[in-house]
Amino acid sequence: MKTLILLLAILVFAAMPLHVQSQIQWEPHPVELDAEIKERVRFGFLPVPEDRSNPDSRKIFVAFTLIESLAENPHPDPLILLPGGPGIGLNQFVNRVSGSALLQKAYEKRDLILIDVRGSGFSYPRICENMATEEFGLQNTFKRGSELEILHRKAIEECAELILESGADITAYNSVEVAHDIEALRLALGFEKWNVRGHSYGSRYGMTLMQKYPNTVRSAVLSGMSDLSRYHDRTPVNLARSLRLLI
């Protein structure tokens, strides 16, 4: 009898969709939540391989927040917000996001998802933590010209040393791998499609996601576009050209 029950359990488990078998680690939200959203917010980590081309690659953990819709029967396609920066963690702004009049309209009918891409925010391991300190933020705000350039160069060199010491594979922290992480999250949560909102560098994540997984994106709103064919070091040149054409 026990053997039969065990066999039935195995068959039921095998028949479950992949998202039921997912390895999401649900945990209390690291941010103190506003009372009006506390019961509708879930926070978790999705383990993903740092280097998908290497079977022995270590696991890293992508942090995300799921804000459940106000609707009793929400639409099946949620809205996922892709962060800018690159490197800005969205999960820390969960209260601000949920209080946005525009986004409130969205989660009246659909679930809302925030994600900290690999290496940023509450995801771990975190890279370039030396740039996330209050001291660096203040200096970055008030320094100008050559002083600011020296500050950035020193911070980047320090970050590179920390990455080497940690054993992280810095080549694995890019928009393509982020797109794969986002797709893994969709599968883990069990959504067939979703809607994408990406601003600034988040638009680059959005475009890469649509290139890699076009059939999973129902709609996309991208603003402050970060051109896939351009790099940040071209921004001043492009800005100067735009101003010349405008003026």
Side-chain angles (χ1 to χ4, degrees):
M1 184 66 178
K2 289 183 179 179
T3 304
L4 178 60
I5 293 173
L6 179 60
L7 179 60
L8 288 172
I10 292 172
L11 290 173
V12 169
F13 185 81
M16 287 180 178
L18 288 175
H19 67 276
V20 178
Q21 303 178 36
S22 72
Q23 299 178 8
I24 290 177
Q25 300 176 6
W26 297 105
E27 296 191 8
H29 206 289
V31 171
E32 186 175 350
L33 300 170
D34 291 344
E36 57 268 25
I37 64 167
K38 198 168 186 178
E39 299 304 317
R40 293 188 295 103
V41 169
R42 301 181 70 193
F43 175 81
F45 293 99
L46 178 69
V48 296
E50 184 176 51
D51 179 3
R52 285 180 167 83
S53 66
N54 178 8
D56 299 322
S57 175
R58 68 173 181 171
K59 293 287 185 181
I60 60 176
F61 298 84
V62 176
F64 69 95
T65 297
L66 173 64
I67 305 176
E68 295 177 349
S69 173
L70 297 169
E72 289 186 12
N73 297 300
H75 293 322
D77 46 291
L79 171 63
I80 182 169
L81 304 183
L82 306 182
I88 297 174
L90 282 182
N91 287 293
Q92 62 181 313
F93 302 119
V94 58
N95 291 317
R96 188 187 304 179
V97 167
S98 64
S100 162
L102 181 61
L103 290 173
Q104 279 181 344
K105 286 291 184 183
Y107 69 81
E108 281 178 2
K109 298 180 179 180
R110 341 183 112 76
D111 293 340
L112 186 62
I113 299 168
L114 315 179
I115 186 171
D116 293 347
V117 302
R118 55 172 56 201
S120 71
F122 294 121
S123 295
Y124 67 93
R126 198 172 173 190
I127 59 175
C128 294
E129 286 204 66
N130 60 306
M131 298 186 191
T133 63
E134 185 176 348
E135 180 185 3
F136 180 80
L138 288 172
Q139 292 185 72
N140 196 52
T141 300
F142 293 107
K143 287 185 180 293
R144 293 291 182 270
S146 60
E147 277 190 322
L148 184 62
E149 185 178 342
I150 292 170
L151 172 71
H152 286 176
R153 183 175 297 152
K154 183 179 177 182
I156 291 170
E157 290 172 352
E158 184 180 343
C159 173
E161 292 175 5
L162 291 171
I163 290 170
L164 289 173
E165 289 173 6
S166 71
D169 178 7
I170 193 58
T171 64
Y173 293 79
N174 56 65
S175 299
V176 173
E177 288 300 324
V178 168
H180 294 321
D181 293 343
I182 296 170
E183 171 65 3
L185 179 61
R186 182 190 68 80
L187 292 172
L189 292 173
F191 295 114
E192 184 177 347
K193 291 179 181 287
W194 49 16
N195 305 281
V196 174
R197 172 73 173 98
H199 177 68
S200 190
Y201 202 86
S203 69
R204 194 181 187 98
Y205 294 139
M207 287 186 284
T208 307
L209 180 67
M210 287 188 287
Q211 282 186 343
K212 297 295 180 183
Y213 302 100
N215 295 328
T216 69
V217 179
R218 174 183 173 271
S219 69
V221 177
L222 308 177
S223 59
M225 300 286 284
S226 177
D227 191 342
L228 284 175
S229 64
R230 304 281 183 187
Y231 294 93
H232 280 309
D233 60 357
R234 298 295 300 170
T235 298
V237 175
N238 293 332
L239 176 60
R241 179 175 179 274
S242 297
L243 289 172
R244 282 198 303 271
L245 292 171
L246 178 64
I247 297 172

